[in-house]
């Protein structure tokens, strides 16, 4: 592991990073630091600075100066696109290093991180490409007028990100924000800030002007409100829990600035009996247990046709009971730990509530005992509850751990009723061979992102965002580029003379 230009102390393997402001690492105004530990082993990976309110305001100030300088915001979109391509290329060369570090920080298996990170350069290629296509429109206007619209960047934008996909979530917000010409301040999750910091340094070396991308690490409750309240902040974009979303959206509303909220989820997975059973089971395992269930679109409510319900549960139990839990750094590992003691305790508490409320625990439900050096890791057995009812807490609330619920349905209407009976409306998938039914059902699902016969798939062009308590606004695609821009309407008189309204004639009588 090479920790590039950073403050590296002690063990050469450890990565100790400061804030990233104005194109360079910079010490925080406080000497407090957050230790980053491997959730599989407890080993120290490194640390990040605990930035303060003053550090956040300094970062916003520098981002504002960078914006006003025009070095990025006034650059031709084609040239911004070239730099975004260069960032994508630079990221490509460092993917193995980033994948290994994300595996050590999050506990997610190296196989998952390698697959996920291999797609990330595409966000820079895609948005670098469409940046030049951000064209205004010519619109009709009655009379002798030319009427057109044009786009410009918003200014300084604030990205607040979570720990479950530290780079993916950050970069899918960053690429459109930069493509549109904004400058950026980022508040990464306190427990997974290292790869975002190293990425910022990579971006500077790839040609991003200083001050365009700034990262302030630290406690969300301390520096988050300062970020949201900074007068130059022109938009807030959060991925996080629904409670945090309500707080951040409230501050954006107070300031009347736009916001994108990518919040909690409880994705239903509807399995019809014409799906080959092996495919349904493999799909369910993939939907539910990638990232140990710690993703906003994780399949958590499996709604399975009565006719195949028992066979499905039996096969799925056999499938997940055979998962190889182990050191995430090994390519043979199927499932790692959850990210923190807090996440482990929360998940265990939900498992207890499932048991006490009468759901049928069919596999898992315990901590996994693994040999040294994994004895203190936060490993939870993949857990399945069958025969759940819609009012169980494990069905109503986001667990964010390796716990899924299965319930039977009788007919299509019953399946839809169970799926839509929820405050969240983020991800969903429908598994069936019947093409008419697939589209009919999808149209009635209250979910912003739906897969048919698949799950989790993401692409820079494919819009991403939820309904209801899952938040609002869209990531990815042209939507994201538009949401990071402001559109101005311009009305141009073409008639040679301007009539004198107060000149005595009454044209409208
Ligand atoms: O999220 P938080 P956490 C859910 C999941 C998880 C729970 C808590 O259920 O167990 O949320 O996770 C910053 N002003 N999801 O604690 O607290 C914070 O520092 C501004 C679901 O990680 O929401 C971090 O950078 N910022 C979700 C970010 O917000 C504030 C993904 C998210 O932190 C802030 C992650 C404030 N007042 C968690 N308070 C998903 N569905 O994808 C905190 N932050």
């Amino acid at each position: 592991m090479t920790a590039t230009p950073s403050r590296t102390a002690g063990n050469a393997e450890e990565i100790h990073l400061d804030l990233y402001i104005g194109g360079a690492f910079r010490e925080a105004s406080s000497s407090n630091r957050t230790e980053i530990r491997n959730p599989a082993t407890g080993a120290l990976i490194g640390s990040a600075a605990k930035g303060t309110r003053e550090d956040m305001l300094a970062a916003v100030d520098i981002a504002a100066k960078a914006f006003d300088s025009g070095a990025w915001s006034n650059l031709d979109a084609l040239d911004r696109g070239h730099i975004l391509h260069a960032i994508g290329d630079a990221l490509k060369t460092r993917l193995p290093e980033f994948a290994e570090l994300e595996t050590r920080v999050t506990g997610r298996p190296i196989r998952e991180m390698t697959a996920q990170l291999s797609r990330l350069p595409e966000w820079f290629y895609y948005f670098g490409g469409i940046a030049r296509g951000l064209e205004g429109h010519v619109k009709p206007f009655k009379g002798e007028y030319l009427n057109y619209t044009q786009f410009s960047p918003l200014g300084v934008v604030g990205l607040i990100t979570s720990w479950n996909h530290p780079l993916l979530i950050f970069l899918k917000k960053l690429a459109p924000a930069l493509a549109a010409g904004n400058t950026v301040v980022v508040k990464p999750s306190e427990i997974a800030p290292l790869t975002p910091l190293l990425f910022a340094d990579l971006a500077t070396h790839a040609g991003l002007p200083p001050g365009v991308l700034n990262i302030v690490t630290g406690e969300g409750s301390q520096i988050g409100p300062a970020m949201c309240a900074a007068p130059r902040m022109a938009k807030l974009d959060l991925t996080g829990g629904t409670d945090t979303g309500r707080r951040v959206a409230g501050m954006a509303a107070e300031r009347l600035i736009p916001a994108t909220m990518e919040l909690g989820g409880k994705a239903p997975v509807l399995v019809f009996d014409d799906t080959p059973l092996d495919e349904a089971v493999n799909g369910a395992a993939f939907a539910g247990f990638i990232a140990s269930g710690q993703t906003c679109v994780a399949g958590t409510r499996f709604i399975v046709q009565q006719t195949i319900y028992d066979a499905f549960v039996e096969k799925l139990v056999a499938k997940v009971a055979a998962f190889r839990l182990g050191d995430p750094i090994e390519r043979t590992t199927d499932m790692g730990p959850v990210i923190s003691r807090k996440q482990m305790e929360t998940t265990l508490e939900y498992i207890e509530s499932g048991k006490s409320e009468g759901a049928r625990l069919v596999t898992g439900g315990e901590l996994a005992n693994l040999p040294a050096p994994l004895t203190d890791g936060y490993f939870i057995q993949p857990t399945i509850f069958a025969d759940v009812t819609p009012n169980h807490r494990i069905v109503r609330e986001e667990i964010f751990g390796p716990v899924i619920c299965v319930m039977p349905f009788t007919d299509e209407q019953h399946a839809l009723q169970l799926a839509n009976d929820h405050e969240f409306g983020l991800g969903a998938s429908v598994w069936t061979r019947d093409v008419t039914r697939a589209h009919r059902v999808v149209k009635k699902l209250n979910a912003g992102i739906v897969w048919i016969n698949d799950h989790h798939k993401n692409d820079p062009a494919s819009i991403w965002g939820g309904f209801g308590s899952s938040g609002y606004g869209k990531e990815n695609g042209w939507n994201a580029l538009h949401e990071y821009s402001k559109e101005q309407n311009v009305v141009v008189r073409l008639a040679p003379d301007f009539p004198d309204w107060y000149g005595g004639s009454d044209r409208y009588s």
Side-chain angles (χ1 to χ4, degrees):
M1 178 87 258
T2 47
T4 22
S6 60
R7 187 160 63 74
T8 307
N11 183 341
E13 292 291 308
E14 294 173 13
I15 304 167
H16 300 273
L17 298 175
D18 291 324
L19 311 179
Y20 196 86
I21 299 179
F25 285 100
R26 182 205 264 207
E27 281 191 23
S29 58
S30 136
S31 57
N32 294 337
R33 302 193 66 83
T34 308
E35 279 190 347
I36 313 295
R37 289 188 176 273
N38 185 329
T41 62
L44 184 67
I45 298 169
S47 70
K50 268 195 187 158
T52 62
R53 199 178 163 276
E54 288 66 41
D55 295 322
M56 179 54 82
L57 295 179
V60 176
D61 189 45
I62 284 187
K65 288 197 170 87
F67 184 81
D68 295 342
S69 79
W72 185 250
S73 51
N74 288 343
L75 199 62
D76 189 275
L78 194 65
D79 295 321
R80 282 204 298 267
H82 287 320
I83 296 178
L84 292 183
H85 272 76
I87 294 173
D89 287 344
L91 177 59
K92 234 179 191 173
T93 65
R94 300 222 354 231
L95 286 177
E97 171 199 340
F98 279 116
E100 187 197 315
L101 184 53
E102 292 226 326
T103 288
R104 289 165 63 204
V105 169
T106 63
R108 295 185 50 193
I110 188 80
R111 224 155 42 95
E112 278 181 23
M113 295 326 299
T114 304
Q116 183 173 89
L117 268 55
S118 71
R119 300 284 315 274
L120 298 189
E122 293 169 34
W123 264 261
F124 292 92
Y125 301 146
Y126 174 79
F127 283 104
I130 69 170
R132 191 73 204 275
L134 191 57
E135 294 165 346
H137 306 281
V138 176
K139 295 175 180 269
F141 200 103
K142 193 175 176 193
E144 277 190 281
Y145 291 95
L146 165 66
N147 186 35
Y148 69 92
T149 70
Q150 59 189 358
F151 288 96
S152 48
L154 295 170
V156 182
V157 297
L159 317 185
I160 305 173
T161 61
S162 59
W163 43 259
N164 47 341
H165 313 286
L167 270 180
L168 168 69
I169 286 171
F170 164 39
L171 300 187
K172 73 177 163 149
K173 297 181 191 301
L174 181 69
L178 292 180
N182 300 285
T183 60
V184 178
V185 179
V186 188
K187 213 302 290 159
S189 162
E190 29 292 67
I191 48 181
L194 297 179
T195 45
L197 285 163
L198 291 175
F199 174 86
D201 192 51
L202 170 151
T204 300
H205 284 86
L208 195 65
V212 173
L213 169 57
N214 308 277
I215 302 194
V216 184
T217 51
E219 298 290 324
S221 56
Q222 303 296 310
I223 56 176
M227 180 188 210
C228 302
R232 285 296 301 266
M233 196 52 74
K235 174 186 165 91
L236 294 166
D237 186 341
L238 165 82
T239 294
T242 295
D243 290 345
T244 310
R246 289 204 169 93
R247 272 195 291 277
V248 172
M251 293 197 70
E254 191 70 38
R255 305 264 323 276
L256 294 176
I257 58 174
T260 299
M261 294 288 137
E262 214 278 61
L263 310 175
K266 194 82 191 174
V269 177
L270 282 65
V271 184
F272 288 88
D273 65 5
D274 56 350
T275 311
L277 196 56
D278 280 341
E279 180 182 316
V281 165
N282 291 340
F286 177 69
F289 294 102
I290 285 289
S292 295
Q294 301 165 110
T295 106
C296 50
V297 293
T300 45
R301 295 184 293 137
F302 289 80
I303 300 166
V304 180
Q305 196 154 9
Q306 183 81 64
T307 39
I308 55 163
Y309 181 76
D310 289 335
F312 174 89
V313 170
E314 191 185 328
K315 266 205 151 192
L316 186 59
V317 165
K319 177 93 200 164
V320 309
F323 280 178
R324 292 163 298 188
L325 270 64
D327 192 337
I329 210 70
E330 301 293 340
R331 291 202 72 86
T332 48
T333 294
D334 291 323
M335 206 176 97
V338 293
I339 193 157
S340 62
R341 175 170 296 281
K342 179 167 166 259
Q343 206 61 33
M344 179 180 80
E345 286 168 355
T346 310
T347 305
L348 291 175
E349 197 201 308
Y350 275 113
I351 290 173
E352 284 315 307
S353 98
K355 288 184 198 163
S356 65
E357 288 186 344
R360 180 163 64 95
L361 178 68
V362 286
T363 189
E366 310 273 338
L367 291 178
N369 288 320
L370 297 176
L374 308 174
T375 34
D376 293 330
Y378 309 125
F379 290 91
I380 302 172
Q381 295 171 348
T383 298
I384 302 177
F385 282 101
D387 308 346
V388 296
T389 64
N391 58 333
H392 285 149
R393 261 187 78 207
I394 53 172
V395 175
R396 301 245 61 88
E397 297 174 21
E398 185 178 47
I399 300 174
F400 236 56
V403 180
I404 66 167
C405 302
V406 194
M407 55 190 121
F409 72 84
T410 47
D411 58 22
E412 200 174 298
Q413 199 170 343
H414 185 210
L416 275 165
Q417 180 204 325
L418 290 170
N420 286 338
D421 177 19
H422 216 282
E423 65 168 309
F424 291 129
L426 191 57
S429 63
V430 176
W431 297 73
T432 178
R433 281 290 181 273
D434 180 340
V435 70
T436 55
R437 172 162 63 195
H439 294 288
R440 195 169 58 234
V441 167
V442 163
K443 186 91 169 88
K444 292 185 185 148
L445 274 176
N446 183 41
I449 310 154
V450 185
W451 297 273
I452 296 175
N453 297 326
D454 215 318
H455 205 100
H456 282 304
K457 296 298 185 316
N458 193 0
D459 187 279
S462 176
I463 60 168
W464 186 278
F467 306 144
S469 297
S470 295
Y472 50 80
K474 300 291 184 207
E475 299 184 312
N476 293 347
W478 281 96
N479 300 57
L481 199 59
H482 286 138
E483 289 191 19
Y484 271 109
S485 309
K486 51 189 180 195
E487 188 175 15
Q488 180 185 50
N489 198 103
V490 184
V491 182
V492 187
R493 171 171 59 87
L494 299 180
D497 301 316
F498 185 76
D500 181 0
W501 181 264
Y502 298 103
S505 72
D506 186 355
R507 288 192 297 146
Y508 294 97
S509 62

